[in-house]
Amino acid sequence: SQQGEEDPQALSIQEGENATMNCSYKTSINNLQWYRQNSGRGLVHLILIRSNEREKHSGRLRVTLDTSKKSSSLLITASRAADTASYFCATDRGSTLGRLYFGRGTQLTVWP
Amino acid sequence: DAGITQSPRHKVTETGTPVTLRCHQTENHRYMYWYRQDPGHGLRLIHYSYGVKDTDKGEVSDGYSVSRSKTEDFLLTLESATSSQTSVYFCATGPPEANVYEQYFGPGTRLTVT
């Protein structure tokens, strides 16, 4: 079963706008990660937020984590056409064995 | 995915034939993983390895086996391919640091079973 559930499933915006994607999960976690996948390529790690962190930034990316609501959001500011991709959240379900559980992803399309 | 390669990148095979997919890494990562990606399902873990000769099952391991005889190679075998195993297969590796579970993905293998 999928641990993360991203929403929306698809998001379409114009260049320059902000894109927000959400992820919900069901179990305790040690950390939550976001990955990007361009069409026909493998996933690329974007950012990791630990369970004791509430917010993290990396360039135009901002991730928040609310462990009480078991949810996370990924904000991409000032989107570019090159940000067009699928975005996945992944959690460890509290395990320390190196396993990750991925959601089904959000397909982001940024129009020039 | 510069340090992780998968071979073959594309394969078409017939139902009932054995298939082996190879993942090779140059990162010296301890952990290696095999996932399959299907529309509507995201990524699902098939098997993973936490060291040479140390492997364990994932969520969808039925019909698959793995082997890891060297740190750099992780093989996924479909003993008798079925149409339900048509999918895109991704290998991933994880760094050796404890409690740091970022994963690094290969480019994928598209497998079609006819």
Side-chain angles (χ1 to χ4, degrees):
Chain A
S1 62
Q2 296 294 321
Q3 168 70 335
E5 295 290 343
E6 293 91 340
D7 76 271
Q9 289 188 341
L11 180 62
S12 185
I13 59 174
Q14 295 290 129
E15 264 190 328
E17 295 180 341
N18 296 339
T20 299
M21 289 160 272
N22 303 297
C23 170
S24 61
Y25 57 92
K26 297 177 182 177
T27 69
S28 62
I29 61 172
N30 294 313
N31 60 69
L32 184 144
Q33 303 178 40
W34 285 91
Y35 288 79
R36 183 188 75 231
Q37 183 180 33
N38 291 91
S39 181
R41 306 290 296 273
L43 278 71
V44 174
H45 181 265
L46 292 177
I47 194 165
L48 179 152
I49 185 166
R50 300 186 188 278
S51 59
N52 61 356
E53 297 175 312
R54 291 295 168 259
E55 188 171 311
K56 201 163 184 180
H57 296 256
S58 177
R60 294 184 296 111
L61 305 180
R62 172 178 169 253
V63 170
T64 62
L65 179 65
D66 186 335
T67 53
S68 67
K69 295 181 179 179
K70 293 186 168 57
S71 67
S72 173
S73 67
L74 171 68
L75 168 68
I76 304 174
T77 60
S79 296
R80 305 166 183 168
D83 294 326
T84 294
S86 292
Y87 292 82
F88 296 86
C89 69
T91 71
D92 55 25
R93 289 189 183 175
S95 168
T96 57
L97 299 177
R99 291 182 59 165
L100 291 180
Y101 299 83
F102 287 84
R104 293 183 174 86
T106 293
Q107 171 62 51
L108 172 67
T109 302
V110 182
W111 298 99
Chain B
D1 54 339
I4 303 167
T5 57
Q6 294 183 230
S7 59
R9 294 292 314 280
H10 302 271
K11 186 170 182 67
V12 179
T13 192
E14 294 184 348
T15 298
T17 59
V19 177
T20 295
L21 308 183
R22 179 179 184 243
C23 177
H24 179 78
Q25 60 142 331
T26 58
E27 307 295 325
N28 197 35
H29 288 167
R30 175 183 175 189
Y31 293 92
M32 296 187 76
Y33 310 84
W34 277 108
Y35 293 92
R36 60 179 289 174
Q37 185 175 35
D38 304 288
H41 288 278
L43 270 80
R44 293 181 290 175
L45 183 65
I46 304 171
H47 282 280
Y48 69 107
S49 170
Y50 44 95
V52 173
K53 292 186 169 47
D54 292 322
T55 64
D56 205 350
K57 296 178 179 180
E59 307 167 68
V60 290
S61 60
D62 287 349
Y64 302 95
S65 62
V66 291
S67 66
R68 190 168 178 202
S69 58
K70 298 185 290 185
T71 298
E72 56 266 36
D73 291 324
F74 194 31
L75 304 181
L76 176 70
T77 297
L78 291 66
E79 301 291 346
S80 178
T82 67
S83 59
S84 65
Q85 293 175 313
T86 292
S87 186
V88 180
Y89 291 85
F90 287 99
C91 172
T93 71
E97 294 92 352
N99 297 325
V100 178
Y101 298 123
E102 301 170 19
Q103 293 185 11
Y104 300 82
F105 283 78
T109 293
R110 183 172 296 275
L111 176 67
T112 302
V113 183
T114 61

